[in-house]
């Protein structure tokens, strides 16, 4: 119910953007900026590339405002654009060129945010290793499986929405997700 | 209960989404307690929590709005150029049409002249032919 209301609100905001309401675009940006950048970051593994791609996604959303129809769920449409952007960037080699190490600092000197609830140095190191292993396991997934699992796990999209975003059938999406989780289980088995 | 596999992927996905009915959830948990592969598969979702994304750059919105402004001005230039191009194209088309009509008139005139010349030449040849018997008779 809550999800349906949220989606409906997004579509309403987008319809207002279509009528020239800039504030509604700012609200949509506020709501989806973080999730879209995070999704793209996990897809391409590079902070600056993911932000550049996310800007391109929102630019496309803005440019499409005059033709927007609320026929599809806004987030489905948004992630379809984002997935296309990410897959194209990966194929163009942006990911390989710009892949960042977890130890590397961000360009503006800020430290990468990694959940850190540990107290001792040893626990912190274990947490860092865990992040690195999870990231490597996700990065090693085939592109479509990676996109599907990222949308399912981190963006909270259901397989019906993911199938529309990836433009494949629901049954194919279920298989894609199962194989992705199964591969991750096998790669992360030593950490369980 | 059978192990989780591609054919009953619905159960795994519903479990992760918290959408599995309570009885099915208990059954799956009971199975996982005895099956290490299914137990590991169910714990994958939680393992992935470790991978957090970095903070977004503070100038993200500023950069985006700058790109939007650049696109809008490109579009404005495009539209305003069209506003200029249309009357210019109309005038050019009218001029071209004028030149074409005038050339056609010239062509028509020269065609007429050529036709007159041919007629005159044919007439002259006919006259020569008519005069030929007279000339030979005198000789």
């Amino acid at each position: 119910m809550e999800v349906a209301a949220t989606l409906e609100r997004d579509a309403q905001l987008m319809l207002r953007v279509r009528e020239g309401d800039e504030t509604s675009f700012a609200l949509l940006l506020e709501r989806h900026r973080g999730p879209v950048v995070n999704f793209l970051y996990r897809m391409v593994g590079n902070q600056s590339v993911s932000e550049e791609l996310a800007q391109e996604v929102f630019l496309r959303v803005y440019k499409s405002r005059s033709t927007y129809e609320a026929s599809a769920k806004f987030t489905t449409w948004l992630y379809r654009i984002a997935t296309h952007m990410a897959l194209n960037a990966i194929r163009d080699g942006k990911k390989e060129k710009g892949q960042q190490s977890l130890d590397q600092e961000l360009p503006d000197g800020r430290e990468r945010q990694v959940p850190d609830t540990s107290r001792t140095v040893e626990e912190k190191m274990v947490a860092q290793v865990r992040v690195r292993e999870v990231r490597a396991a996700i990065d090693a997934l085939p592109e479509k499986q990676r996109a599907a699992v990222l949308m399912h796990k981190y963006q909270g999209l259901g397989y019906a929405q993911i199938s529309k975003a990836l433009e494949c059938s629901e049954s194919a999406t279920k298989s894609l997700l199962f194989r992705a989780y199964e591969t991750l289980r096998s790669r992360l088995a030593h950490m369980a | 209960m059978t192990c989780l596999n591609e054919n009953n992927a619905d159960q795994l996905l519903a479990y992760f989404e918290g959408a599995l009915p309570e009885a099915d959830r208990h059954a799956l948990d009971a199975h996982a307690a005895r099956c290490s592969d299914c137990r590991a598969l169910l714990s994958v979702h939680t393992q992935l929590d470790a991978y957090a994304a970095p903070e977004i750059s503070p100038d993200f919105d500023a950069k985006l709005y700058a790109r939007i402004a650049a696109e809008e001005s490109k579009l404005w230039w495009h539209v305003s150029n069209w506003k200029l191009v249309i009357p210019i194209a109309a005038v050019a088309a009218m001029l071209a049409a004028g030149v074409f009509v005038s050339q056609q008139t010239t062509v028509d005139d020269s065609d007429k002249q050529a036709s007159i010349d041919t007629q005159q030449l044919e007439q002259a040849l006919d006259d020569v032919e008519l005069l030929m018997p007279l000339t030979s008779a005198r000789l």
Side-chain angles (χ1 to χ4, degrees):
Chain A
M1 248 347 240
E2 196 184 319
V3 173
T6 305
L7 292 168
E8 203 185 336
R9 193 179 161 202
D10 287 337
Q12 281 172 359
L13 285 171
M14 194 58 205
L15 290 172
R16 278 187 222 142
V17 176
R18 191 176 72 178
E19 284 152 26
D21 181 7
E22 301 287 326
T23 316
S24 293
F25 181 74
L27 284 171
L28 277 172
L29 180 62
E30 184 63 35
R31 288 160 69 81
H32 298 286
R33 181 206 302 113
V36 169
V37 172
N38 291 350
F39 169 72
L40 289 165
Y41 172 74
R42 292 187 181 105
M43 278 299 286
V44 299
N46 178 288
Q47 167 98 11
S48 58
V49 173
S50 65
E51 290 194 3
E52 198 182 304
L53 292 174
Q55 280 168 10
E56 191 65 38
V57 170
F58 286 107
L59 185 64
R60 288 209 180 182
V61 167
Y62 188 81
K63 281 167 74 179
S64 310
R65 67 195 184 284
S66 57
T67 53
Y68 177 76
E69 295 290 339
S71 53
K73 285 178 180 172
F74 178 79
T75 44
T76 306
W77 180 56
L78 187 67
Y79 282 98
R80 188 186 298 165
I81 300 172
T83 306
H84 272 287
M85 291 282 174
L87 296 180
N88 286 341
I90 291 166
R91 282 161 203 166
D92 291 348
K94 281 190 185 176
K95 176 185 158 75
E96 284 73 17
K97 268 185 231 163
Q99 189 115 15
Q100 287 172 321
S101 149
L102 275 173
D103 305 324
Q104 211 178 315
E105 264 196 359
L106 295 173
D108 59 3
R110 285 174 299 125
E111 276 185 28
R112 194 169 304 288
Q113 244 203 358
V114 169
D116 188 13
T117 49
S118 345
R119 288 178 191 161
T120 67
V121 174
E122 195 184 340
E123 281 170 339
K124 280 181 187 173
M125 282 172 70
V126 169
Q128 285 277 355
V129 169
R130 187 168 292 143
V131 174
R132 209 167 285 141
E133 300 251 1
V134 169
R135 180 175 165 168
I138 288 176
D139 282 352
L141 290 173
E143 293 160 8
K144 260 194 164 179
Q145 283 190 27
R146 193 187 324 151
V149 91
L150 292 180
M151 281 189 265
H152 188 254
K153 164 64 191 166
Y154 300 103
Q155 315 313 134
L157 268 64
Y159 63 80
Q161 262 191 290
I162 297 169
S163 70
K164 284 177 189 150
L166 293 179
E167 293 168 290
C168 55
S169 70
E170 287 190 11
S171 59
T173 307
K174 280 184 211 169
S175 298
L176 208 63
L177 281 166
F178 185 88
R179 277 183 273 130
Y181 281 122
E182 176 59 23
T183 306
L184 291 171
R185 177 199 67 79
S186 123
R187 287 194 180 132
L188 301 173
H190 63 284
M191 284 169 52
Chain B
M1 168 161 195
T2 56
C3 282
L4 292 163
N5 61 69
E6 216 168 310
N7 297 323
N8 61 14
D10 283 21
Q11 283 200 33
L12 176 73
L13 301 180
Y15 184 92
F16 287 159
E17 290 163 16
L20 200 62
E22 211 178 317
D24 294 346
R25 188 175 184 88
H26 283 310
L28 190 51
D29 281 335
H31 168 79
R34 299 185 306 273
C35 172
S36 60
D37 280 353
C38 288
R39 191 164 59 245
L41 189 54
L42 292 180
S43 70
V44 158
H45 209 251
T46 316
Q47 282 183 297
L48 299 183
D49 287 340
Y51 188 10
E55 266 182 68
I56 299 167
S57 304
D59 59 352
F60 180 89
D61 286 10
K63 281 184 180 171
L64 172 65
Y65 283 116
R67 287 180 75 172
I68 288 175
E71 284 287 328
E72 292 286 287
S73 68
K74 218 190 283 177
L75 185 71
W76 180 86
W77 187 87
H78 187 70
V79 170
S80 58
N81 262 8
W82 270 110
K83 279 182 185 167
L84 275 174
V85 164
I86 289 168
I88 290 170
V91 170
M94 282 167 70
L95 283 173
V99 169
F100 179 74
V101 168
S102 126
Q103 275 180 347
Q104 279 298 106
T105 313
T106 316
V107 168
D108 288 352
D109 289 349
S110 57
D111 283 354
K112 262 183 211 164
Q113 191 57 50
S115 163
I116 291 165
D117 290 348
T118 313
Q119 278 176 5
Q120 281 176 349
L121 181 65
E122 279 171 358
Q123 186 63 49
L125 287 171
D126 289 346
D127 291 348
V128 169
E129 272 176 35
L130 285 169
L131 289 170
M132 281 296 277
L134 291 173
T135 317
S136 22
R138 277 181 199 164
L139 289 172

